[in-house]
Amino acid sequence: MKQEQAPLSITDARTLWVSLRSAAEKLAADDAVFAPWLQDTILSAAHLGDATGRLLSQKLQTAHFPAAVFRDAYAALALRDAALGDKMARDMKTVLANDPAAHDPLRPFLFFKGFHALQCHRLAHDLWHHGRQPLALLVQNRVSDLFGVDIHPAARIGCGIMFDHATGIVIGETAVVEDDVLFWHGVTLGGRAFAPEDRHPKVRKGAQIGAGATILGNIEIGAGAKIAAGSVVVKSVPAGATAAGAAARLME
């Protein structure tokens, strides 16, 4: 895991937008094959929210649901949530701080499916709570098909989140993920009952969930806790603790 801090310039939506535009202009000049896409996605966009809506809509569109459907939905989300861009900037800062493959903001923005899946979940979550549940489920389905990430639209997810590689991440309907949580691939936040009660894990601020970990039931992963790769967790883990194994035990 990359330990050095992310560039201090990525602090909010404005600074992320300036950085993205600058990097996009450079890539378009260096490699002409990217120029039309970058022009349509970033360089013609009015602001960060517009660029994100363009990017996500290109990915989510289908024969029966053109890009305009998703772009309009994302524009509505951006109007309702004035902090949306700053949340994205915080996600980006976390990626840059923890993923050695993220050399600059443009790479995660254009190419990292974990970053895409998280931003799509923000859209699905907004649709779910504003009377458009079928469209929210369509977004969930498209993200599952495209990225191999399955997050129920009702799940509550904070910001400063990283889904590294992201393939195989599953997050259930009543799960809660607080700010600054790091996920690696193959993580499941699942339920232990089929009844519609609160049945999924609550992952508190700053926790780290290793690759292939399975966390089941309405249990709590405390702030700053670490779950080792491949662990199966069915009991709450205290703040700051490390749990490993199947079934997981607290490490001394």
Side-chain angles (χ1 to χ4, degrees):
M1 183 174 69
K2 184 177 174 183
Q3 296 295 334
E4 63 266 22
Q5 292 296 310
L8 295 178
S9 60
I10 305 301
T11 57
D12 55 25
R14 184 186 63 82
T15 54
L16 175 57
W17 179 231
V18 170
S19 180
L20 282 175
R21 281 193 61 88
S22 177
E25 288 170 351
K26 184 178 186 305
L27 178 57
D30 290 345
D31 192 339
V33 72
F34 282 97
W37 183 38
L38 293 170
Q39 181 65 33
D40 183 57
T41 304
I42 296 176
L43 299 177
S44 294
H47 47 72
L48 178 61
D50 185 20
T52 306
R54 290 169 183 240
L55 179 72
L56 298 184
S57 64
Q58 291 168 10
K59 293 180 175 294
L60 294 172
Q61 66 182 323
T62 71
H64 294 97
F65 295 90
V69 171
F70 302 103
R71 187 172 171 182
D72 290 348
Y74 194 85
L77 164 60
L79 286 174
R80 281 192 284 262
D81 186 357
L84 181 64
D86 290 341
K87 293 175 184 177
M88 191 188 312
R90 189 163 167 184
D91 297 336
M92 181 65 75
K93 188 171 183 178
T94 298
V95 172
L96 292 171
N98 292 281
D99 188 346
H103 299 285
D104 59 63
L106 187 64
R107 294 190 187 194
F109 184 82
L110 291 178
F111 303 123
F112 286 18
K113 68 179 183 178
F115 186 78
H116 297 161
L118 178 59
Q119 308 318 316
C120 286
H121 173 72
R122 299 198 195 288
L123 173 59
H125 188 76
D126 180 77
L127 291 166
W128 186 264
H129 289 287
H130 286 89
R132 305 196 73 185
Q133 291 190 358
L135 188 57
L137 291 170
L138 176 65
V139 172
Q140 176 193 6
N141 176 260
R142 293 292 295 143
V143 170
S144 180
D145 287 345
L146 290 167
F147 308 133
V149 177
D150 196 346
I151 307 173
H152 193 283
R156 291 180 285 161
I157 299 179
C159 58
I161 306 297
M162 182 182 77
F163 294 152
D164 190 47
H165 295 289
T167 301
I169 289 176
V170 176
I171 300 178
E173 178 180 11
T174 61
V176 174
V177 178
E178 294 185 347
D179 295 345
D180 304 319
V181 174
L182 307 182
F183 288 81
W184 278 261
H185 55 279
V187 170
T188 296
L189 304 184
R192 297 184 68 190
F194 291 102
E197 71 266 12
D198 192 355
R199 62 194 183 279
H200 294 102
K202 312 298 179 280
V203 182
R204 302 306 179 191
K205 181 178 173 67
Q208 299 184 28
I209 315 297
T214 299
I215 304 172
L216 300 176
N218 185 13
I219 61 175
E220 183 163 314
I221 307 302
K226 296 180 180 179
I227 308 300
S231 297
V232 178
V233 184
V234 295
K235 295 181 180 180
S236 292
V237 176
T242 297
R249 296 183 180 182
L250 298 182
M251 307 297 290
E252 296 295 335

